[in-house]
Amino acid sequence: MVILACVWEVISRTGVINPLFLPPFSVVVTEVYHGFASGYLVQHVMASLGRAVPGLLLALLAGVPLGLALGTSGRLNTFIDPVVEVLRNTSALALLPVFTLMLGIGETSKIAMVFYAALWPILLGTINGLRGVDPLWIKAGRSMGLSGGKLFVKIVIPASLPSIFTGIRLAAAAGLLVLVAAEMVGSRAGLGYVINASQLDFDLPGMYAAILVLSVVGYATNAALVLVETHFLRWKQT
Amino acid sequence: MTTQPARPIRLRFENLSKSYPATVRAGRNATGNLVLKDIELDVFEGEFLVIVGPSGCGKSTLLDLAAGLSLPTGGRMVLDGRTVTKPGPERSVVFQNYALFPWKTVFDNIAFALAAAGVPRRTQYERVRRVLALVGLEDAADRYPHQLSGGMKQRVAIARSLSVEPEVLLMDEPFGALDAQTREDLQVELRRLWRRNNMTIIFITHDIDEALSLGQRVAVMGRAPGRVVDVVQLPFQPDAAVDEIRTHPEYGELRRYIRAVLSHPDAATQAAV
């Protein structure tokens, strides 16, 4: 990370890449600092998070139960499986105009975009988790006298958690990606908007500052999820 | 070869058959897959019975039926005079691949079985400690299964099964995945636990030496369809050490006989009991 920053600084300062197009790292960092000090960047980060977090939470609330239902019921699964496959291979970005058309250019359509993009990784992670449950654990649970709901809550769900968590992390990344694109196209706030608007104003330090902040937000989100994950999955072999 | 001691019968395989429905691929003429045919076998109270058979003879299916994990398609499985229809806390199963829950510590794995059996929380701690001491793993209580060796995992699995104080312990090739040294250690330990706890044990294996070292009687199975070919009464004392058993004058002859029956079921000197 440090090396990357140094290389960036050097190639810009020495003119290998025109500093007009790639301002030195230190300049961008200063820009970030000013952005936060003035509250300008804070406002846009909050705008982005205000869309990403509800979208992800909704995807979680819908995806996990839906995945559990689909993964448990064989018949439901064979029926729904093709539908899921088609929908998840339909790029969320391709649907951007559709969402805008249906839900307007306001917050709702952005949150819906994040929701849509994040839903599939969570759904598939949950279904895969259920498929990966070792039948021997079920057998052991049954031999102890557990059945039905207890078996599901005490054995099937804990055994599926690793895969569900992987799905959640992929979902967060997918959600952010789509959100930025949506903000670039039709929004007056958020990091995606800042990146696009700065570029149009030829405020390149401002653009890079927003990109840098975006990377940090993505990185921090992932790190936070990993932290939660390791807490719940202490038992995993690492 | 069989002399039946006058002991109460704990488990009875009564004219038991098990077949799985014909698969679609087998076509409409298929009558289904007969895994076990007319199994007649009594297991006495406090007995250590070993079932030995070639792979694919349905011996694991037999154990599932005794555990109540699956139901017979013919005949019935009887425990203390009542037909078995589901698993119960008086029977406990030890599986070959341990079946420990990787997301739970050793302590929690055992406490889980206790909770499932309805043991109140406040007595769980003491009981977990006691069974861990029994298998020599007091110090491993807070570890996760992946931090244990195969032998330790199977010790935990045995401790977990013993924790509910079962009357019948059903063991499905429990030492099959262990190295020779660990396997012998655990055989000795199991004999000790059996003498101490006065349990009835049904132990499944494909290893003749293991069958001879552990059991009081050995039921030999044949396959296609799975059936009991002969039941051999072993002459060894219940408190004999494994080494004593292996050097017993009759050991070699018994070993040869069981081996012969396994490869040629017709070699059995008498029909199954």
Side-chain angles (χ1 to χ4, degrees), chain A residues 137 230 233-238, chain B residues 97-106 109 140 142-154 156:
Chain A
W137 297 331
T230 39
L233 305 179
R234 271 163 308 186
W235 53 273
K236 282 286 273 187
Q237 199 157 1
T238 42
Chain B
N97 292 319
Y98 328 122
L100 296 178
F101 303 122
W103 59 90
K104 289 181 182 294
T105 60
V106 166
N109 259 285
D142 296 327
R143 294 212 228 159
Y144 285 96
H146 80 262
Q147 298 168 309
L148 306 176
S149 68
M152 289 165 91
K153 281 184 201 164
Q154 197 53 284
V156 174

Side-chain angles (χ1 to χ4, degrees), chain A residues 133 136-146 150 154-156 158-160 232 234-238, chain B residues 64 68-70 87-88 91 93 95 97-104 112-113 116-117 144 146 160 172:
Chain A
V133 176
L136 187 60
W137 297 331
I138 310 269
K139 207 170 164 185
R142 284 183 56 217
S143 80
M144 292 172 192
L146 297 178
K150 272 195 172 164
K154 295 192 181 268
I155 293 179
V156 175
S160 310
F232 280 106
R234 271 163 308 186
W235 53 273
K236 282 286 273 187
Q237 199 157 1
T238 42
Chain B
D64 283 354
L69 289 168
S70 69
R91 282 158 292 150
V93 190
F95 299 94
N97 292 319
Y98 328 122
L100 296 178
F101 303 122
W103 59 90
K104 289 181 182 294
F112 184 79
Y144 285 96
H146 80 262
R160 183 172 70 177
D172 189 2

